[in-house]
Amino acid sequence: MTHLVEKRSAQHLLDARLRALSVTGAVVLAALMDAIASTALSIGRIGLLGDTHATPDGLAMIDIVFIAAKLTSFLVAPLLVRAVRPTACLRAGAVILLLASAAMTLSADLVWICVCRVAQGLAGGTILVAGQTLLFLRFPHRHQPVVQAVFATGAVMAPTTITPALHGWLVDHLTWDWIFLANIPLGLASLILLAAEGDATFWRDAKLPIRRVILLGIGTTLLTYVLLQGSRFNWFDDTDIAVLAALGVMSVGLLAIGEIGFRPRGSLLPISPLGDPDFRFGLLASLLAGFALSGSAYLIPTFALTVLDFTATGAGVLLLPSGAALALALLLSGLLIEKAGIRAIMLAPFGILLFAGAMWLLSGSTSGSGSADLAVPLLLRGLGLGLLFMALTMITLQGLAADALPFGIGLFNFGKQVGGLAGTALLQTYIDHQNAYNRTILVAHVFSGDPAADQRLRAAASALASNGVDSTASTKGAVLLLQHALDRQAAVISFDEAFFSFVLLFAVAAPFLILAKRLLGLGAVRRNRTAAHKQDMLR
């Protein structure tokens, strides 16, 4: 009898572990689907542009509606998770994202593609919020560091490393629509793993504040348009950009006023996590972390494609070592927190130092740099981001109560996305400005009669003439070659300055974050003492 009980107990434990693994696998696969959809057009936009015959404005709208839908979903999905439970939301998100990805390939009509991208954005935000909530509720508190590290490989590491390499290969060898078709097997596998999973907990129903959702959607769409298109139209020098920015800020401001002053009438945050000082610090730091992650993920492949003449596959593969280092750092930091008892906040400075060191090394790149020259800084980048994101995730979310957890996850992801958008927009503007400035400086030093310039022009003309080009054409060709060399060198200097700007950013921002952490902690202590004093008075 004892043997039978022990056998049943062992079988029950094995079944529980298998269910836990299947849930984790389902969440990570669903997060990978979102990663593929999120970065699909970073490399595949040229092929899409040819098939749809879209204008630059039309192509930009495909990105704008996707990002705006995802930002909106981050704040709406917690209400759905609270109403219908996380597993059901995760299933629904996976199904919608799978169907929308398949539907993208059915037509090259721009309106149809925008509709599919809206569905992908809404589904992707729901997947991230519901999936991470499910993992927090499904696993014990002591196992969360490793569990969240595994989740981050799909939600943080994949969009900036694995998927660009996949997209580059698919674009070079097949067509852009295969990027979206790759989501179909992932979605099916995720749904199969979720088939036997019950819901982690039950919550009461929640009403959806339709007016506030509409206001949120308007605000995110307008501000996303401004951030993505501002550099192209020279920001607020363009009247349309200025007006749209004002309307977007007004929409978000009205939403914030409604959330603060009229919460009983329906709120996007019926259970606010903002009362937790650790969450407020993590939300503030998420803006900086998103800036670093998305900004560097934009700069590095762009530098490789435009300056180093990498292919799409080569530019995508370039980030794979960084992704491996990021995954290693996530898992290592999770183990250190869980097994060694290291406080999560202790990992953040090391992450910042490693990332800043990587950007400093990249700021010394030249037009002759290759994959070998970029390997070490990219590895340091991955290690730094892994430590930083693991620390922020645990600091921000682990202390939240179960009913506030989905709202905290939504806001945390919202902050990372906004930081990433701002980082990419500012870096695009900075690169454009510095390219023009640096080219002007270089041209000023290459004047008629300069010995070095004359020698280079004669050498280029001689080389062209030796290949059968007549004297007049060879002279003009030599000038064009010199202009190309100047443009290339100006771009190298601009990108190096952009890489170094990350070093300056963290040098300035890190002390402010430390001060903010200190002040928030002191404020929480004061409030606790005040509350304790009031209770003593009542007694």
Side-chain angles (χ1 to χ4, degrees):
M1 184 69 178
T2 303
H3 177 71
L4 182 61
V5 171
E6 291 178 350
K7 185 176 180 180
R8 288 179 178 176
S9 178
Q11 183 63 40
H12 178 73
L13 180 61
L14 178 62
D15 291 342
R17 289 178 175 175
L18 290 175
R19 287 196 301 271
L21 287 174
S22 67
V23 169
T24 306
V27 172
V28 171
L29 288 174
L32 282 173
M33 291 175 65
D34 171 66
I36 289 174
S38 297
T39 57
L41 300 183
S42 59
I43 292 177
R45 66 175 57 250
I46 295 177
L48 180 63
L49 183 63
D51 286 352
T52 59
H53 306 290
T55 64
D57 288 332
L59 193 62
M61 190 56 62
I62 297 174
D63 286 330
I64 291 165
V65 296
F66 173 82
I67 295 173
K70 194 169 184 179
L71 285 171
T72 303
S73 181
F74 282 143
L75 299 186
V76 175
L79 294 172
L80 301 177
V81 168
R82 188 169 184 254
V84 299
R85 301 180 292 276
T87 307
C89 286
L90 182 60
R91 288 194 186 104
V95 169
I96 293 172
L97 186 52
L98 187 155
L99 294 176
S101 296
M104 275 280 289
T105 66
L106 298 180
S107 173
D109 180 70
L110 194 61
V111 175
W112 174 256
I113 290 175
C114 285
V115 170
C116 292
R117 290 297 279 171
V118 170
Q120 289 171 355
L122 294 173
T126 302
I127 283 172
L128 295 180
V129 173
Q132 196 167 14
T133 302
L134 180 60
L135 292 179
F136 266 108
L137 298 174
R138 185 69 171 75
F139 290 89
H141 186 274
R142 65 182 183 276
H143 294 322
Q144 285 302 321
V146 172
V147 171
Q148 294 304 317
V150 173
F151 170 76
T153 59
V156 177
M157 184 266 287
T160 57
T161 52
I162 293 178
T163 53
L166 172 66
H167 297 165
W169 188 89
L170 290 173
V171 169
D172 281 344
H173 294 84
L174 297 170
T175 56
W176 65 267
D177 49 357
W178 279 93
I179 296 174
F180 295 99
L181 291 174
N183 263 340
I184 294 176
L186 292 176
L188 292 175
S190 178
L191 291 171
I192 290 172
L193 291 174
L194 280 174
E197 174 62 17
D199 288 303
T201 188
F202 292 85
W203 283 307
R204 60 186 178 184
D205 292 339
K207 295 181 179 180
L208 195 64
I210 300 298
R211 292 180 181 177
R212 296 190 184 187
V213 172
I214 294 173
L215 197 61
L216 174 64
I218 293 172
T220 55
T221 302
L222 293 176
L223 293 179
T224 299
Y225 180 88
V226 170
L227 287 172
L228 291 184
Q229 296 292 92
S231 177
R232 179 183 165 200
F233 295 106
N234 201 24
W235 293 100
F236 302 115
D237 289 343
D238 183 83
T239 304
D240 291 340
I241 291 293
V243 170
L244 293 176
L247 291 174
V249 170
M250 187 184 302
S251 299
V252 173
L254 289 173
L255 181 64
I257 292 172
E259 286 293 307
I260 295 171
F262 304 97
R263 181 166 293 180
R265 298 183 183 180
S267 173
L268 291 171
L269 294 174
I271 303 174
S272 176
L274 294 172
D276 188 318
D278 286 337
F279 178 81
R280 292 200 299 272
F281 168 76
L283 182 61
L284 179 65
S286 71
L287 297 170
L288 182 64
F291 189 108
L293 177 68
S294 298
S296 61
Y298 158 74
L299 273 185
I300 294 168
T302 305
F303 176 66
L305 286 168
T306 60
V307 177
L308 303 184
D309 295 328
F310 278 41
T311 62
T313 301
V317 170
L318 185 64
L319 288 175
L320 284 181
S322 182
L326 199 158
L328 176 64
L330 286 169
L331 295 173
L332 179 61
S333 55
L335 288 171
L336 288 173
I337 296 171
E338 181 176 322
K339 304 298 182 183
I342 294 177
R343 295 176 59 200
I345 190 66
M346 302 301 294
L347 299 176
F350 293 102
I352 290 174
L353 287 174
L354 287 171
F355 180 81
M359 294 299 104
W360 179 73
L361 291 174
L362 285 172
S363 68
S365 301
T366 69
S367 58
S369 297
S371 299
D373 303 295
L374 304 179
V376 172
L378 290 181
L379 287 174
L380 292 178
R381 170 188 176 269
L383 291 172
L385 287 174
L387 293 175
L388 181 59
F389 270 96
M390 192 66 232
L392 287 180
T393 299
M394 301 313 298
I395 292 168
T396 309
L397 302 177
Q398 195 168 27
L400 295 179
D403 55 355
L405 189 59
F407 301 97
I409 291 172
L411 275 174
F412 185 57
N413 281 285
F414 187 90
K416 287 191 296 184
Q417 187 79 43
V418 170
L421 270 176
T424 303
L426 290 175
L427 287 169
Q428 284 177 337
T429 302
Y430 185 78
I431 290 291
D432 292 340
H433 176 271
Q434 290 304 107
N435 269 337
Y437 175 77
N438 290 324
R439 191 181 189 285
T440 300
I441 297 298
L442 290 175
V443 169
H445 288 80
V446 182
F447 53 87
S448 179
D450 180 71
D454 289 343
Q455 182 180 2
R456 181 156 185 168
L457 285 171
R458 286 195 299 270
S462 177
L464 291 172
S466 65
N467 286 304
V469 181
D470 63 72
S471 59
T472 302
S474 62
T475 302
K476 293 181 179 178
V479 173
L480 292 175
L481 288 174
L482 182 59
Q483 289 177 347
H484 176 73
L486 284 172
D487 292 340
R488 187 183 180 91
Q489 189 58 38
V492 170
I493 297 172
S494 300
F495 275 99
D496 286 350
E497 291 170 340
F499 287 129
F500 191 72
S501 69
F502 280 103
V503 181
L504 297 178
L505 172 66
F506 277 99
V508 173
F512 282 100
L513 287 177
I514 294 171
L515 179 62
K517 177 65 174 172
R518 181 67 176 168
L519 292 176
L520 289 171
L522 290 175
V525 170
R526 290 196 189 98
R527 283 191 296 273
N528 291 336
R529 287 177 179 173
T530 303
H533 179 69
K534 289 181 178 179
Q535 289 179 356
D536 291 339
M537 293 292 290
L538 290 173
R539 291 172 185 171

